[in-house]
Amino acid sequence: MAQRERLIAEVVRILTADDPGGRGADAALELLMEQTDAAEVAFFTLDRSGRSVSVASYASSQLAGESWIRNSGPALVGLVRDRSTALVLGPAGESPLPGRLAGMGAETLALTPVIARRGADAATERPGAQGQRSLVGVLAAVSRTGAGWDEAMADIFARVAFALAHRVEATELQALQRQRIQELAGLAEVARTMQSSADAERLQAGFAQALATLVPYQHVYITQLDEAGALASVSVFG
């Protein structure tokens, strides 16, 4: 029990101490793999659309070039897409292990959903409110024959998945803050440009340049009307 708590505390410390762009998650999964005798541990993440799956972090004790789950992210995520609790396949799980993995020497496959609030949802949530959470990733672990699986292992992975959820929320909130700062800077630039020149051509060119910091575009068209409301000219930028 004490050893389990120390492991979880160290994994959480690594995850929370690391900056979002660092490799703390890899180090945390490496420690988790070593202390649970897993052959591989992977953290698969989904984009905001929920369609694209990528490997965010990965640790392996396999021989060089050997991998059982690294390239199976979409299929593994699909198995728990509609679940909020872990799915365990193998002798101690809900269903038998797939034949392909069993034939390679695997015994247990554990898939733990990572459920969190997305950046914009977390940013607008009122204090004390229970915001909308969704599947943002899956913590997957596969063990070799003889490694075993029990409730203590399930608890470890569930709590690490919870810590990963907090990491995802923090990372997305920071990205959202950077985006908003950039947008405010772009709006300020647009306002400054609009006030800086009375020359129509320079004003339009400056506006188009400032607009590009807010909305990436290939071309922007600015039309001018004469006093009668008829089209007088069209300027193209980009």
Side-chain angles (χ1 to χ4, degrees):
M1 180 72 173
Q3 182 178 358
R4 180 186 8 166
E5 294 301 321
R6 285 195 296 270
L7 169 60
I8 294 170
E10 181 61 14
V11 169
V12 171
R13 185 196 66 78
I14 294 172
L15 288 173
T16 55
D18 176 60
D19 64 287
R23 306 307 301 171
D26 285 343
L29 263 60
E30 185 81 22
L31 177 62
L32 185 63
M33 176 198 69
E34 293 173 355
Q35 296 299 313
T36 60
D37 291 327
E40 298 174 46
V41 179
F43 177 36
F44 301 107
T45 54
L46 291 84
D47 66 0
R48 292 190 67 86
S49 71
R51 291 189 292 269
S52 178
V53 177
S54 59
V55 181
S57 300
Y58 177 76
S60 173
S61 60
Q62 303 276 40
L63 296 175
E66 185 175 8
S67 175
W68 292 346
I69 63 172
R70 183 184 178 94
N71 299 321
S72 303
L76 298 180
V77 169
L79 291 174
V80 294
R81 188 175 290 272
D82 298 323
R83 294 175 63 110
S84 59
T85 57
L87 171 65
V88 179
L89 303 178
E94 300 176 27
S95 302
L97 192 69
R100 181 185 68 86
L101 285 175
M104 293 178 177
E107 181 178 73
T108 303
L109 173 66
L111 305 173
T112 307
V114 177
I115 299 174
R117 296 164 298 180
R118 287 295 187 178
D121 297 329
T124 58
E125 182 176 302
R126 295 188 304 275
Q130 294 296 320
Q132 181 67 36
R133 285 170 167 78
S134 59
L135 184 72
V136 298
V138 173
L139 177 61
V142 62
S143 64
R144 299 182 181 88
T145 300
W149 182 270
D150 55 23
E151 288 298 321
M153 294 277 282
D155 179 65
I156 290 172
F157 279 88
R159 291 166 68 179
V160 172
F162 186 73
L164 284 168
H166 279 286
R167 178 185 172 88
V168 169
E169 290 179 357
T171 300
E172 293 201 353
L173 275 175
Q174 291 180 10
L176 182 62
Q177 289 172 346
R178 289 193 296 270
Q179 178 185 337
R180 288 182 174 173
I181 290 172
Q182 183 178 359
E183 290 171 349
L184 288 172
L187 288 171
E189 180 63 18
V190 170
R192 187 195 66 78
T193 300
M194 297 293 288
Q195 298 171 1
S196 64
S197 176
D199 179 80
E201 290 186 6
R202 291 180 58 189
L203 181 62
Q204 291 176 6
F207 175 79
Q209 183 177 359
L211 183 64
T213 65
L214 288 173
V215 184
Y217 61 79
Q218 288 186 323
H219 302 287
V220 62
Y221 301 86
I222 301 177
T223 62
Q224 285 185 284
L225 305 179
D226 60 21
E227 295 180 356
L231 182 64
S233 65
V234 178
S235 300
V236 183
F237 301 91

